[in-house]
Amino acid sequence: MNKRTFLKTSSLMVGGAFLPKMILANDTPRTNWAGNLRYSAKQYFEPQTIAAAQELVKKTPIIRGLGSRHSFNSIADTPATQISLKSMQKVLSIDKANKEVTIEGGATYGQICKEIHEAGFALANLASLPHISVAGACSTGTHGSGVKNGNLATSVRALDVITANGDIVSFSKNENNDALKGAVVALGGLGIVSKMTLALQDTFEMKQLVYQNMPMSALEKNFESIVSNGYSVSLFTDWRNKNVNQVWLKKRSEDVSTPDTEYFGAKLATRNLHPLEDLSAENCTGQMGVSGPWYERMPHFRMGFTPSSGKELQSEYFVPFEHGYEAMMAIEKLHEKVSPHLFISEIRTMTGDDLWMSANYHQPSVAFHFTWKQDWNAVKQLLPLIEAQLAPFNARPHWGKLFTMNPKRLQSLIKPLPQFKELLATYDPKDKFRNPFIQQNLY
């Protein structure tokens, strides 16, 4: 296994620009966030300008973009060269008239939200962790929760992509909306996202309430009511005793008066909680009905908290909303096998969209997320069982998490796949951005 160290000094000239890079060394290896995957890339670059990034892409035969490293599978890996725009993190402009923000391609949500809020605006939704890159989250169809909220990619109004020949191609709702539908959730296969424009709404305050111990039986006839009673709702369960351990309700502050002490059999928490109740809630976003800005309530974890590499694995599957409870009960049948290897599961919802490679394409969805103990030998035995239980509902996996689904089965579930492959062939005719993950799962 190759090991590398990061050299702060410039060490390669490409197209007249010096670029820092990773070189072979004998110390710390580069891994993904959780440490379950060691990247196989022989070279790693962090260009300091878009021009340098363009020149690098143009002159490199095989290359792959790397975001905040929060994918648990090899979607961002390549045996050749990785490139990161992490040094390009700025908010470039906020268009108040059209309610849009334009950001650089390396920005994370944690780096842009406060500035957006201070300008009087908000994003429609956020994921549970704020430190993930915007481009990476959108490219993999990552999401928050809320029956009226799309995944994070649905906020994209335009993006610039460095394509295989080093040129920047712009996709936007105003100019080429059909192509934009394929370019947003592109799995890194179209090129390197250098700039993004996101839709905004007026800023608002939120309150968060947590309820404990809801019987799963309460969801049988009330599933839609339970998950709809808030701007964003998350259910946490360890699949023991047919119990939902916690319900996290995130509401606009004006929609909360005196909170109910009971919620479909669950009791209002009397202290701040972590989804894993044995852990400190210090790094979790504010609860107990205390009002705060949208960006300090929509994630589960605080903006100022960047988690260290955690020994965990993650998987997630999307099913049509109308099958949410039925799918939940199908998973519950595996509780004796699942629970010993699990930290926690989270169940979230999102509305449908028209993005070609989104798991929510033309269907509102329920997402079943699993945070596993870091034992891949055990998890890889469990995933086929879960996938079999969810197969009757045409479940699709999250692109950035672990799954074992047969590629032909996966491809059969993606109706716009032919259009997406045509888009890739147009802008990457020599497969510069294709990697083993894309090759295996799409081709």
Side-chain angles (χ1 to χ4, degrees):
M1 182 68 67
N2 290 333
K3 295 185 177 182
R4 311 157 181 85
T5 185
F6 183 64
L7 297 188
K8 294 293 185 181
T9 58
S10 300
S11 53
L12 183 72
M13 179 176 281
V14 176
F18 281 107
L19 304 176
K21 71 169 186 175
M22 284 287 203
I23 65 171
L24 297 177
N26 293 317
D27 51 6
T28 308
R30 287 189 302 116
T31 69
N32 65 343
W33 174 80
N36 68 295
L37 175 70
R38 293 173 185 264
Y39 295 124
S40 59
K42 293 182 176 65
Q43 297 185 105
Y44 168 80
F45 296 90
E46 284 181 17
Q48 303 300 299
T49 67
I50 293 298
Q54 289 179 262
E55 194 67 22
L56 176 62
V57 169
K58 180 180 179 180
K59 293 187 175 183
T60 306
I62 301 294
I63 194 166
R64 192 76 180 159
L66 183 66
S68 50
R69 303 181 299 115
H70 200 260
S71 293
F72 289 78
N73 58 34
S74 59
I75 191 170
D77 199 16
T78 173
T81 299
Q82 285 178 320
I83 178 175
S84 171
L85 303 189
K86 65 183 295 184
S87 63
M88 305 175 202
Q89 309 166 344
K90 297 186 183 69
V91 172
L92 296 173
S93 65
I94 295 178
D95 182 342
K96 294 188 175 183
N98 292 310
K99 293 187 177 181
E100 294 177 344
V101 60
T102 299
I103 63 173
E104 292 184 312
T108 67
Y109 286 95
Q111 290 163 342
I112 67 172
C113 284
K114 185 176 181 181
E115 188 170 344
I116 291 171
H117 169 69
E118 290 176 347
F121 296 101
L123 294 170
N125 213 348
L126 294 171
S128 58
L129 289 170
H131 76 292
I132 58 176
S133 68
V134 181
C138 293
S139 294
T140 54
T142 296
H143 58 93
S145 192
V147 294
K148 295 181 180 180
N149 300 320
N151 65 35
L152 302 183
T154 60
S155 290
V156 177
R157 292 295 175 265
L159 72 164
D160 284 359
V161 180
I162 304 172
T163 56
N165 60 7
D167 292 340
I168 293 179
V169 176
S170 297
F171 300 88
S172 75
K173 282 190 171 291
N174 296 329
E175 300 296 330
N176 48 3
N177 188 42
D178 284 343
L180 179 68
K181 295 174 184 177
V184 178
V185 186
L187 316 183
L190 193 60
I192 308 303
V193 176
S194 60
K195 188 169 69 173
M196 304 179 73
T197 298
L198 309 175
L200 300 174
Q201 56 183 315
D202 293 336
T203 193
F204 58 96
E205 298 273 307
M206 296 191 84
K207 294 181 179 180
Q208 184 166 222
L209 302 169
V210 176
Y211 291 83
Q212 295 177 274
N213 298 318
M214 174 188 290
M216 285 187 181
S217 58
L219 290 152
E220 182 175 5
K221 295 182 179 179
N222 302 291
F223 186 88
E224 184 170 2
S225 297
I226 289 170
V227 300
S228 301
N229 190 19
Y231 188 95
S232 171
V233 179
S234 291
L235 311 178
F236 290 96
T237 179
D238 57 8
W239 301 104
R240 298 178 188 272
N241 305 316
K242 294 188 176 182
N243 181 59
V244 175
N245 304 40
Q246 297 177 19
V247 181
W248 287 37
L249 299 180
K250 303 169 190 279
K251 298 188 176 188
R252 287 176 175 265
S253 293
E254 65 267 24
D255 295 334
V256 181
S257 52
T258 302
D260 297 325
T261 57
E262 186 172 325
Y263 187 71
F264 292 92
K267 304 296 183 182
L268 182 66
T270 57
R271 61 183 176 89
N272 291 332
L273 293 174
H274 189 283
L276 296 173
E277 292 183 23
D278 291 341
L279 299 184
S280 169
E282 178 184 4
N283 295 317
C284 296
T285 49
Q287 302 166 25
M288 306 293 292
V290 177
S291 189
W294 55 275
Y295 68 93
E296 292 183 353
R297 295 295 179 270
M298 276 199 280
H300 298 331
F301 297 95
R302 297 193 341 237
M303 288 287 183
F305 166 61
T306 301
S308 60
S309 296
K311 288 192 173 183
E312 63 184 49
L313 304 174
Q314 292 186 11
S315 302
E316 188 169 38
Y317 299 93
F318 302 82
V319 305
F321 184 87
E322 62 267 26
H323 299 306
Y325 177 74
E326 191 179 358
M328 184 177 184
M329 290 298 98
I331 298 171
E332 198 280 330
K333 292 178 181 178
L334 298 173
H335 69 274
E336 290 184 354
K337 295 180 178 180
V338 167
S339 293
H341 302 286
L342 188 73
F343 284 121
I344 201 70
S345 272
E346 182 178 6
I347 302 168
R348 288 177 286 180
T349 62
M350 63 230 63
T351 192
D353 58 56
D354 59 2
L355 305 177
W356 295 349
M357 298 300 286
S358 167
N360 318 117
Y361 180 75
H362 289 183
Q363 68 175 30
S365 302
V366 178
F368 294 91
H369 184 277
F370 301 84
T371 299
W372 304 102
K373 298 172 184 177
Q374 202 175 75
D375 182 353
W376 174 233
N377 288 329
V379 172
K380 71 180 178 182
Q381 302 299 320
L382 289 169
L383 295 184
L385 303 179
I386 294 172
E387 290 167 3
Q389 287 296 97
L390 295 179
F393 314 110
N394 291 329
R396 287 180 54 179
H398 189 297
W399 289 115
K401 302 185 189 298
L402 296 167
F403 58 90
T404 59
M405 187 174 292
N406 181 280
K408 290 185 177 179
R409 168 65 175 171
L410 175 57
Q411 293 162 29
S412 73
L413 299 172
I414 307 171
K415 293 180 180 178
L417 184 57
Q419 297 98 296
F420 181 66
K421 288 183 176 180
E422 183 177 347
L423 184 71
L424 297 189
T426 299
Y427 293 101
D428 186 21
K430 295 184 179 180
D431 302 333
K432 176 173 287 193
F433 300 107
R434 192 182 298 190
N435 69 347
F437 179 92
I438 297 294
Q439 180 65 32
Q440 176 182 348
N441 288 295
L442 299 187
Y443 292 88

